[in-house]
Amino acid sequence: MDRDSGEPIDDPIVILSDILSNYEGSTKILPDSDIQLYDEHESFERLSEDLRCYFEDYVNHFCGNEHQCREYCEEYGICQIVTEPKKQEETYKGLVKETSITFTKYIQLSERLECNKKIPPNEFKHTGNHTHNDNGFHYCDTKCPFCEYYCTLPYGHAQIHDTRHGNMTQTELDNEFDYAGHRLRVGDQGTFVLCNLHCKNLGRHRHIDYCKNEKNCKSGNQGQDIRHINEKVQPNPEKPKDFISHKLFWERTGFKDPTVQEQEFTKCDHKCPDEKHHKTQGSSALPPTNSFCELQLFHTPLNPSSNPPTGYGYISLDGHHFNCENPSTRGA
């Protein structure tokens, strides 16, 4: 009832200052509990909930019954992961003008569950740690650095991390390539593509990473999966970088390689420049296909004057072996 007009108050949220006289500011009930009777800036509904929780958590502990613990599980790891991710439609605006990609974003949901223990009668806490399940399963708490999906193996597992993978929300692309008819540049975000599909879409490729041992790189002793980049490369051009293989790229993440074409990714990614591999030759011709170097990724350049290793194809001036006709000698 409104104290001034005498009319009923229709608002379901009742402010006590509207119905009580001779009160200023706020008044406390149970002074040691920090529970307020009312506050002119808070709703009665909220304060009533605080009061109810106080009685349930403290006063009711002397009722002679046990009560459910309200704390959260404090065991190591992740209590629950929804392995079937949530989906939502989004649009990515690329660095290249008019690049707009509509995609499905997959979101892995994780949760820390409430403690399942009971507080004994006339006690304020139970014995032991808070846990949602005594000696129960907890997921690993390590995230993929690119999509931030948690590893779905048990906490404390010994083998390499594994997960289903999601959109590469934490990834900046280090290659220029076409995706669904859109041209993407170095520096574009990878949020529109899944971790396990990105490399597959690239085909033969190499990755870029910060140099881990500049001394070894300068001496040429960097290993078969690494090739030092002598030029300055974005981002952070002052920091030395390397080309690295697909295999080493995933090894450094600590996660299992989610692709199934690893053997193809061990081969050189250089392409024959002949236009017949890039343009359709006539209206009835088959679509062009790339002709890649037949050697391993980061191979030592071959002598252009030597014969091809298989006796077929040609060796380019920069030392790659292509299993096709040499475009520079055609018609000679």
Side-chain angles (χ1 to χ4, degrees):
M1 188 74 70
D2 188 303
R3 66 183 182 185
D4 296 320
S5 66
E7 297 294 327
I9 298 175
D10 295 329
D11 192 336
I13 299 178
V14 179
I15 306 299
L16 286 185
S17 60
D18 290 338
I19 58 177
L20 297 177
S21 302
N22 302 320
Y23 284 98
E24 295 181 0
S26 61
T27 299
K28 290 185 177 181
I29 186 171
L30 302 172
D32 294 334
S33 70
D34 290 329
I35 297 295
Q36 294 182 335
L37 175 62
Y38 86 93
D39 186 317
E40 59 184 344
H41 302 296
E42 291 282 356
S43 70
F44 180 69
E45 183 179 57
R46 166 64 185 276
L47 296 176
S48 296
E49 176 68 11
D50 291 343
L51 188 60
R52 183 187 67 79
C53 290
Y54 178 84
F55 273 89
E56 286 186 358
D57 289 344
Y58 294 96
V59 179
N60 279 353
H61 284 297
F62 299 103
C63 70
N65 297 321
E66 65 177 9
H67 294 275
Q68 180 64 49
C69 177
R70 292 178 173 273
E71 301 296 329
Y72 284 94
C73 178
E74 58 184 7
E75 300 285 350
Y76 291 116
I78 307 300
C79 297
Q80 180 171 289
I81 291 176
V82 179
T83 55
E84 187 62 35
K86 177 184 175 183
K87 303 177 184 179
Q88 64 186 43
E89 296 298 316
E90 293 194 5
T91 300
Y92 173 74
K93 301 292 185 181
L95 297 178
V96 177
K97 187 178 180 181
E98 297 181 357
T99 293
S100 179
I101 303 173
T102 300
F103 65 97
T104 301
K105 184 175 182 180
Y106 296 85
I107 303 171
Q108 184 193 62
L109 302 177
S110 60
E111 185 178 6
R112 183 159 291 278
L113 301 177
E114 291 184 350
C115 178
N116 72 340
K117 292 185 177 180
K118 302 286 187 179
I119 298 176
N122 304 322
E123 298 290 340
F124 290 100
K125 59 179 66 176
H126 55 73
T127 59
N129 294 333
H130 298 295
T131 179
H132 79 273
N133 185 6
D134 287 321
N135 301 315
F137 179 90
H138 282 77
Y139 290 97
C140 177
D141 59 359
T142 299
K143 291 181 176 182
C144 169
F146 309 118
C147 65
E148 292 199 317
Y149 269 36
Y150 282 110
C151 171
T152 51
L153 297 177
Y155 181 84
H157 64 88
Q159 65 269 50
I160 192 169
H161 297 296
D162 196 8
T163 189
R164 292 187 63 174
H165 290 289
N167 298 78
M168 301 175 73
T169 56
Q170 305 302 307
T171 306
E172 189 173 283
L173 301 182
D174 57 15
N175 287 283
E176 292 190 1
F177 68 102
D178 291 322
Y179 178 85
H182 300 285
R183 187 64 181 169
L184 294 160
R185 289 169 31 186
V186 173
D188 266 309
Q189 301 301 307
T191 185
F192 55 87
V193 66
L194 303 179
C195 279
N196 57 321
L197 296 180
H198 174 54
C199 292
K200 181 179 179 181
N201 291 336
L202 290 176
R204 295 193 192 189
H205 63 280
R206 60 186 67 191
H207 293 274
I208 296 176
D209 197 5
Y210 290 104
C211 184
K212 304 296 184 183
N213 192 325
E214 193 173 359
K215 182 178 179 181
N216 278 355
C217 285
K218 288 183 177 179
S219 66
N221 187 31
Q222 66 267 56
Q224 66 178 11
D225 289 307
I226 302 175
R227 181 70 75 243
H228 189 66
I229 304 174
N230 295 317
E231 298 80 15
K232 293 182 178 181
V233 178
Q234 294 286 354
N236 304 316
E238 299 306 317
K239 292 186 177 181
K241 299 179 181 66
D242 295 327
F243 287 122
I244 63 173
S245 68
H246 171 88
K247 175 176 174 288
L248 182 58
F249 173 79
W250 279 102
E251 284 179 356
R252 287 182 174 180
T253 69
F255 274 78
K256 178 182 176 182
D257 181 357
T259 65
V260 294
Q261 294 180 317
E262 186 174 343
Q263 188 60 36
E264 179 70 10
F265 299 154
T266 65
K267 297 181 179 180
C268 183
D269 57 349
H270 278 73
K271 303 174 185 177
C272 174
D274 196 336
E275 286 192 359
K276 72 178 183 180
H277 302 303
H278 307 283
K279 293 182 179 180
T280 302
Q281 307 296 310
S283 58
S284 60
L286 295 174
T289 56
N290 289 316
S291 176
F292 285 98
C293 174
E294 296 293 312
L295 305 177
Q296 294 296 300
L297 185 65
F298 306 140
H299 63 84
T300 301
L302 300 180
N303 184 347
S305 301
S306 63
N307 292 323
T310 61
Y312 185 80
Y314 74 98
I315 298 175
S316 64
L317 294 177
D318 53 356
H320 295 283
H321 172 216
F322 298 103
N323 199 19
C324 58
E325 183 182 8
N326 189 343
S328 65
T329 61
R330 185 184 299 128

